[in-house]
Amino acid sequence: KMMTASICFYSLSTVSNGILQGIGKVNRPVVNAAISLVVQTIIVVILLYTTDLSIYALPVAFVIYAALMCFLNQIDVRRFLDCHLKWKDILLKPFLSAVVMGIVTYFAYELSFFVVKSNIVSVAISLGVGILSALLTRGNMNIYEEVSTPPLSPPSFLFPVVWTVLY
């Protein structure tokens, strides 16, 4: 469960790796990965020797590696391209939306299972509630409309479907 926090960081670092490589800074992602790996190793050693986390120190270090890699790549993108990301729109709003959706979905499952005592029915109900809560918490996260897209890009309402199929 804990390692899912790294998905957003890995997604952004993959994009920033491509950007850096595309502008001829091929070595920067490698340097950033090396720095992140050294920090990750130090953190794993510290956590293993100073805490009772045992094997759970590895997911902690994994998330820290992904976050640091993302952060270092973003610093380089900003430095080489003078590009400033809207962190509030890219990370904070989707994160808060996911938290709300997760909480609502969890309680929908627990309540429906308490009432109907059927795992299949409870999963179906919680999925429906999760989808509804995602739509309601989406708000004004219209990042796709603000991005300059190529002529053959799908319309914005198809973006979630297309992204899911491609991913």
Side-chain angles (χ1 to χ4, degrees):
K1 291 180 182 181
M2 177 186 217
M3 290 176 54
T4 57
S6 66
I7 292 172
C8 189
F9 296 124
Y10 271 116
S11 298
L12 285 172
S13 68
T14 300
V15 170
S16 57
N17 279 346
I19 293 169
L20 291 169
Q21 291 172 4
I23 62 171
K25 304 296 181 185
V26 180
N27 292 336
R28 290 308 306 165
V30 176
V31 170
N32 293 338
I35 293 169
S36 300
L37 184 61
V38 168
V39 171
Q40 177 191 28
T41 304
I42 292 169
I43 289 172
V44 166
V45 170
I46 290 170
L47 290 176
L48 287 175
Y49 284 105
T50 63
T51 68
D52 292 332
L53 286 176
S54 183
I55 194 71
Y56 296 107
L58 297 177
V60 171
F62 188 79
V63 171
I64 290 171
Y65 171 85
L68 186 57
M69 181 71 184
C70 176
F71 179 71
L72 293 173
N73 279 352
Q74 294 306 320
I75 288 173
D76 282 342
V77 168
R78 187 177 198 173
R79 181 175 56 175
F80 295 122
L81 295 177
D82 194 32
C83 176
H84 305 281
L85 296 177
K86 298 177 183 177
W87 289 101
K88 180 181 171 187
D89 292 335
I90 292 173
L91 288 176
L92 185 61
K93 285 181 181 180
F95 175 76
L96 293 176
S97 177
V99 167
V100 169
M101 184 178 71
I103 291 170
V104 169
T105 304
Y106 172 78
F107 283 112
Y109 174 82
E110 291 295 328
L111 179 64
S112 62
F113 189 79
F114 179 76
V115 172
V116 296
K117 303 285 191 242
S118 168
N119 193 38
I120 294 174
V121 173
S122 299
V123 167
I125 290 171
S126 64
L127 283 174
V129 169
I131 291 169
L132 181 63
S133 68
L135 294 173
L136 294 175
T137 59
R138 187 168 170 229
N140 62 354
M141 291 189 294
N142 54 356
I143 295 171
Y144 186 79
E145 287 83 10
E146 296 174 9
V147 175
S148 176
T149 57
L152 297 176
S153 295
S156 60
F157 68 89
L158 283 179
F159 179 77
V161 176
V162 172
W163 179 252
T164 302
V165 170
L166 291 175
Y167 187 68

